Amino acid sequence: MTDRRHRNAPARRHGRTRQITPRAHWLLLSVLAVTLSTALLLQGYTHHMFGITSDAVTGARGRHGAVPGQVTHGGPVIADAATSAHTARVKYRTVALTFDDGPDPVWTPRILDALRRNHVHATFFVVGTQVVAHPELVRRIVAEGHQIGVHTFTHPDLARLAPWQRSLELRETQLAVAGAAGVTTALLRPPYSSQNDALDDADWSVLKQADRAGYVTALSTQDAEDWQRPGVGRILAHATPRGHAGQIVLMHDGGGDRSQTVAALSALIPRLKAQGFRFATVGASVGMAGPVQSAGLGDHLQGMALIELLQAGDWTVWLLGVLMFAAGAISVLRAAVVLIAARRHRRLRTGRHGRSWGPPVTEPVSVIVPAYNESAGIEAAVRSLLASDHPVEIIVVDDGSTDGTADLVESLHLPGVRVIRQQNAGKPAALNTGLAAASCELVVMVDGDTVFESDTVRTIVQPFADPRVGAVSGNAKVVNRGGLLGRWQHIEYVVGFNLDRRLFDLAECMPTVPGAVGAFRRRALLALDGVSDVTLAEDTDLTMALCRAGWRVVYEESAVAWTEAPASLNALWRQRYRWCYGTLQAMWKHRGALVQRGAAGKLGRRGLVYLLLFQVLLPLLAPVVDVFALYGLLFLDPVRIIGLWLAFLLLQFLMGLYAFRLDGERPGPLWSLPLQQFVYRQLMYLVVIQSVFTAVSGSRLRWQRMERYGSLQAPVAAEAPGMDLPPPAPGSTHSAPYDGVPPQQTPYNGVPQQTPYNGVPQQAPYDSVPQQAPYDPFHQLGPYDGLQQPPPHNGFRPPAPHETSQSY
């Protein structure tokens, strides 16, 4: 993003700027999503689907009629199981020590040390996930002359798996060993296996499939039962041969605390040596030639890639967990901060000692309505402004509309309404045109798709009694709340925007006065050279500029305006994309406020930091929460994950209840909050991702036209002018009042003094201003009393989105 210095360059360049859509980032994001999903699925499968557990967990075996008799009563090493099965026995007075479930970073090195001290070689049946986690230990095992065997990748009961899963378990373990130590092995020990006579038909199917894959199965003849941790003495007793026959002794170097195994081993080896036993690997003990060979280059490279991928998956899951907790902490922090601030803001405005802005502000107000193709709602907007109980002049600036917006307003023949036509130049240019034509010091800006209540103008200008106030934000509400999308936006306006504005008001760092309803001091805007067109969020840019100029910007929640929200996901996407991108532009443009003092410093160190933390970083972390939640449902404790999600939802619901209470809204729409988490929230963080990529890539996003739906209704009796403007002072640079204004009266003579303004709208009307009926945006109105209805505005149609580059 760049901060262009020439602020008053023709705004129509927005319409001619070639749109550069950085579609490459969506491809990059898709590749990243697929890669991340693959890594997480593989990591979840390898770490959480199975795992190293006690050798006794599988229970009783089934039928064993398919197991050949020569295998059941033969030696522990079984070859050619798929064809003509035969077995091999361990040589006389030979012991093959075997260790399962490793390598373990604590116990495997100690066992290796004990073997080295006693000059003994053993066989280690390794688990693939442990190999990936500790490849250096596999390299040490091989380097010290020990033998490697396969004990599957995740330690499942192979007899209970589908054939394809068995193949995957063996292949991945073989690749892990090849990647870690550069060797392959033909030795296999299935998890939970023991002696030959314990084999059943399911086990035999595993051995036959393993044989077809080139494996020789090595069972055991003597179980030290160290997996039960019965004590060193019991382990010694179980591991000591009865007689002089050769034995394959089953022990463990992983899967838990193996301190008893280490201690027993240090005593077992000298004892058996003293009895005349010698020690050998499994292959050497049965005369097997070369079960361990050097791996080919392809297997070695694939194994290294597998190790790197799974280690990256481990790191990714750890990082996701950290980010998830960070997102949770940020969310809880934001909830606490905004709720505390909202409560304090309410007390300051409505309490017994509530704030008084000063004497009531009764001077007239210029209302500027920038309009581009607003024929669907402009009549309701203008009539609602005329129904104000505060004196106003209304300036509609038609920015080159192609749907007859200006003709429609003129055809109404409403007194006190001035229409200015200009070529299409963009919303900032239209606002600057209206600002130049305004004759009042106080200016209200309102979008053409927004209607005011009768007291909105009066209420929003009361804070100007404080000479430090340069701008006031009103309370924009969604009028088209039908359907889920309307309800969700209604919730966002009340819970998100309005709670934040209360916090910003309290912290004196308001970053945005919304274009739908905002009031300004005209001289403050003129000092800034009007509204800048540098960013797409001209309201945010303008507000930040006012703060940096030393003006206070406050929030008046009682100044209510009703605005149309997008009624389709596509329209919502375009609106929020522009908002988010424009906000990022404004934050970058005003980043200098971070190191300034006074009001500018408050904006920088409070407002900008808040926006960065909660409106940029938190949405970017939101996908992490969703991804980790899905990961947890699949591979972790689903009850715990659902509990955390419900707790998060409860926090949002409580925030919603309080925010709806502050705004005087019925809480009924909050029932849709759970559904909002599955559609709306994802759309919003995708908007942020798109905006950040667009900003980083330096692309220029153009204005986009928003759809209008004609759901606004003007209040009854809106034809009343509602104003008496004083003549301009001699020598004033303000424009002369427009033609058609009723004859001037003595301004506000005899107006009764009201009680000091304390933030609550004054209900007593100004004398000489007709009292209007309260505005009900949902009330279906009949013909306007006393006014001839204009004929239908034929001959014009709303343009398609591609026909304009402007948006309001």
Side-chain angles (χ1 to χ4, degrees):
M1 287 177 288
T2 58
D3 183 358
R4 294 183 293 172
R5 298 177 181 274
H6 304 291
R7 304 177 51 159
N8 293 323
R12 59 178 175 272
R13 63 173 171 262
H14 290 304
R16 296 200 305 261
T17 301
R18 178 172 174 263
Q19 184 182 16
I20 303 174
T21 304
R23 301 184 185 279
H25 73 270
W26 286 121
L27 177 61
L28 177 63
L29 188 62
S30 300
V31 172
L32 178 62
V34 171
T35 304
L36 177 62
S37 300
T38 303
L40 290 178
L41 287 173
L42 186 58
Q43 203 273 350
Y45 176 87
T46 56
H47 287 70
H48 301 292
M49 288 297 290
F50 305 103
I52 300 172
T53 56
S54 168
D55 284 354
V57 299
T58 57
R61 293 293 181 178
R63 299 177 60 183
H64 55 274
V67 183
Q70 68 268 28
V71 173
T72 303
H73 303 291
V77 179
I78 305 169
D80 299 327
T83 55
S84 56
H86 65 275
T87 67
R89 296 184 183 274
V90 180
K91 298 175 182 178
Y92 183 71
R93 283 187 179 271
T94 300
V95 173
L97 294 176
T98 62
F99 298 91
D100 290 4
D101 299 348
D104 182 273
V106 175
W107 305 114
T108 300
R110 297 187 185 185
I111 289 175
L112 289 172
D113 292 341
L115 295 174
R116 184 173 54 186
R117 286 193 302 268
N118 290 278
H119 308 288
V120 168
H121 290 152
T123 303
F124 290 81
F125 289 95
V126 295
V127 176
T129 54
Q130 293 297 104
V131 173
V132 170
H134 311 289
E136 72 286 350
L137 292 179
V138 181
R139 288 192 289 271
R140 179 182 171 184
I141 290 171
V142 173
E144 294 185 1
H146 303 286
Q147 208 164 62
I148 288 288
V150 168
H151 199 47
T152 72
F153 201 78
T154 62
H155 203 272
D157 184 356
L158 291 176
R160 300 173 185 268
L161 297 185
W164 69 268
Q165 286 181 286
R166 299 173 188 171
S167 298
L168 179 65
E169 288 282 335
L170 301 181
R171 177 60 178 164
E172 297 306 295
T173 311
Q174 194 73 260
L175 284 178
V177 172
V183 299
T184 60
T185 178
L187 294 176
L188 165 68
R189 174 173 287 167
Y192 311 108
S193 61
S194 57
Q195 300 178 5
N196 294 46
D197 57 4
L199 293 173
D200 62 13
D201 292 349
D203 297 325
W204 184 243
S205 69
V206 172
L207 268 60
K208 290 195 295 182
Q209 183 176 348
D211 173 65
R212 288 191 291 268
Y215 289 95
V216 173
T217 301
L219 302 179
S220 63
T221 60
Q222 201 155 343
D223 187 355
E225 297 186 8
D226 58 339
W227 49 272
Q228 298 187 39
R229 291 191 285 274
V232 176
R234 295 289 300 276
I235 294 175
L236 278 171
H238 292 149
T240 301
R242 310 308 190 256
H244 302 290
Q247 305 290 336
I248 294 181
V249 179
L250 171 61
M251 305 181 82
H252 297 82
D253 66 326
D257 183 354
R258 299 305 176 208
S259 57
Q260 294 180 7
T261 303
V262 175
L265 191 63
S266 299
L268 177 66
I269 296 175
R271 175 186 295 182
L272 294 182
K273 282 186 175 182
Q275 295 177 6
F277 284 91
R278 68 183 184 89
F279 292 88
T281 62
V282 168
S285 69
V286 297
M288 185 177 178
V292 178
Q293 301 289 331
S294 295
L297 179 61
D299 284 346
H300 182 56
L301 293 178
Q302 289 182 60
M304 293 177 63
L306 176 65
I307 291 174
E308 292 294 332
L309 176 62
L310 291 178
Q311 288 181 343
D314 293 341
W315 181 85
T316 301
V317 170
W318 174 84
L319 180 62
L320 287 178
V322 171
L323 293 178
M324 187 192 71
F325 283 112
I330 292 175
S331 299
V332 172
L333 175 63
R334 177 183 179 272
V337 169
V338 298
L339 288 177
I340 293 172
R343 181 175 177 83
R344 179 170 175 79
H345 185 271
R346 182 177 178 84
R347 287 207 313 267
L348 290 175
R349 290 295 181 88
T350 63
R352 180 181 301 178
H353 303 290
R355 175 174 183 170
S356 172
W357 297 110
V361 175
T362 58
E363 61 183 280
V365 175
S366 297
V367 182
I368 302 173
V369 187
Y372 179 81
N373 290 349
E374 298 284 3
S375 60
I378 192 66
E379 180 180 353
V382 172
R383 289 188 182 277
S384 72
L385 294 171
L386 282 176
S388 298
D389 59 10
H390 190 97
V392 295
E393 69 167 345
I394 302 171
I395 304 172
V396 177
V397 182
D398 182 81
D399 189 43
S401 296
T402 60
D403 69 342
T405 296
D407 296 334
L408 175 59
V409 176
E410 290 177 341
S411 70
L412 299 176
H413 303 296
L414 296 174
V417 178
R418 180 181 181 183
V419 177
I420 301 176
R421 299 172 184 258
Q422 67 176 32
Q423 291 185 351
N424 182 253
K427 185 177 180 181
L431 290 172
N432 287 330
T433 298
L435 189 64
S439 62
C440 302
E441 169 60 16
L442 300 182
V443 175
V444 171
M445 297 180 182
V446 53
D447 288 341
D449 63 341
T450 304
V451 295
F452 277 17
E453 295 189 352
S454 59
D455 63 347
T456 299
V457 174
R458 171 170 53 84
T459 303
I460 201 171
V461 299
Q462 296 309 309
F464 289 115
D466 185 340
R468 298 173 300 170
V469 174
V472 183
S473 168
N475 185 349
K477 291 180 176 291
V478 175
V479 68
N480 51 330
R481 304 176 181 180
L484 281 176
L485 193 60
R487 290 188 183 94
W488 290 340
Q489 292 179 85
H490 171 44
I491 293 172
E492 185 181 26
Y493 271 67
V494 175
V495 181
F497 300 158
N498 289 345
L499 282 183
D500 280 349
R501 288 193 183 105
R502 289 179 172 90
L503 171 63
F504 292 140
D505 190 3
L506 197 66
E508 300 182 10
C509 60
M510 185 77 68
T512 305
V513 172
V517 51
F520 303 86
R521 290 190 190 273
R522 185 172 183 271
R523 59 186 174 91
L525 299 184
L526 294 178
L528 296 174
D529 296 329
V531 183
S532 171
D533 69 342
V534 171
T535 73
L536 294 186
E538 82 291 331
D539 47 4
T540 300
D541 185 10
L542 180 62
T543 307
M544 290 183 178
L546 287 171
C547 289
R548 295 187 69 184
W551 291 100
R552 276 287 311 278
V553 181
V554 300
Y555 174 52
E556 181 48 72
E557 64 268 27
S558 300
V560 175
W562 300 89
T563 187
E564 279 190 332
S568 68
L569 288 177
N570 181 53
L572 179 64
W573 170 275
R574 289 188 284 117
Q575 182 197 66
R576 298 309 170 86
Y577 181 24
R578 178 174 62 82
W579 285 4
C580 185
Y581 182 79
T583 299
L584 291 174
Q585 287 180 307
M587 291 171 63
W588 181 255
K589 176 182 176 182
H590 296 285
R591 63 191 183 278
L594 290 167
V595 295
Q596 290 182 288
R597 297 182 178 180
K602 292 178 181 178
L603 169 70
R605 290 182 289 278
R606 298 177 186 177
L608 295 186
V609 169
Y610 184 93
L611 292 177
L612 178 65
L613 191 62
F614 297 115
Q615 294 191 17
V616 178
L617 293 182
L618 184 58
L620 290 177
L621 290 177
V624 173
V625 177
D626 293 343
V627 169
F628 201 85
L630 290 175
Y631 179 85
L633 289 174
L634 290 174
F635 300 114
L636 301 178
D637 183 2
V639 175
R640 181 182 178 187
I641 297 299
I642 293 174
L644 289 174
W645 183 79
L646 290 176
F648 179 74
L649 188 63
L650 177 62
L651 176 64
Q652 288 189 308
F653 183 73
L654 294 176
M655 285 183 62
L657 281 178
Y658 188 64
F660 270 57
R661 179 183 175 187
L662 289 178
D663 262 32
E665 295 281 353
R666 292 177 296 180
L670 292 176
W671 70 264
S672 63
L673 262 179
L675 296 176
Q676 190 184 42
Q677 305 303 308
F678 298 106
V679 178
Y680 194 80
R681 196 167 65 90
Q682 282 76 12
L683 182 69
M684 292 301 103
Y685 67 60
L686 286 176
V687 164
V688 175
I689 291 173
Q690 167 83 339
S691 301
V692 170
F693 268 100
T694 305
V696 171
S697 68
S699 300
R700 176 75 176 180
L701 181 67
R702 65 181 177 90
W703 285 90
Q704 297 170 337
R705 179 184 179 272
M706 300 306 297
E707 299 175 12
R708 303 306 187 204
Y709 313 103
S711 57
L712 299 170
Q713 296 289 339
V716 177
E719 68 276 8
M723 67 160 287
D724 291 304
L725 288 175
S732 171
T733 59
H734 292 182
S735 305
Y738 48 80
D739 296 337
V741 176
Q744 301 295 326
Q745 302 176 8
T746 303
Y748 306 106
N749 290 338
V751 175
Q753 291 295 317
Q754 304 180 22
T755 56
Y757 180 70
N758 62 358
V760 179
Q762 305 297 323
Q763 299 303 319
Y766 300 116
D767 292 352
S768 80
V769 180
Q771 181 67 26
Q772 307 297 334
Y775 173 56
D776 182 0
F778 304 104
H779 178 63
Q780 297 297 321
L781 301 175
Y784 299 110
D785 297 335
L787 279 181
Q788 181 180 1
Q789 295 299 305
H793 200 67
N794 297 326
F796 297 97
R797 60 174 178 83
H802 68 273
E803 293 180 347
T804 174
S805 62
Q806 310 301 327
S807 177
Y808 291 84

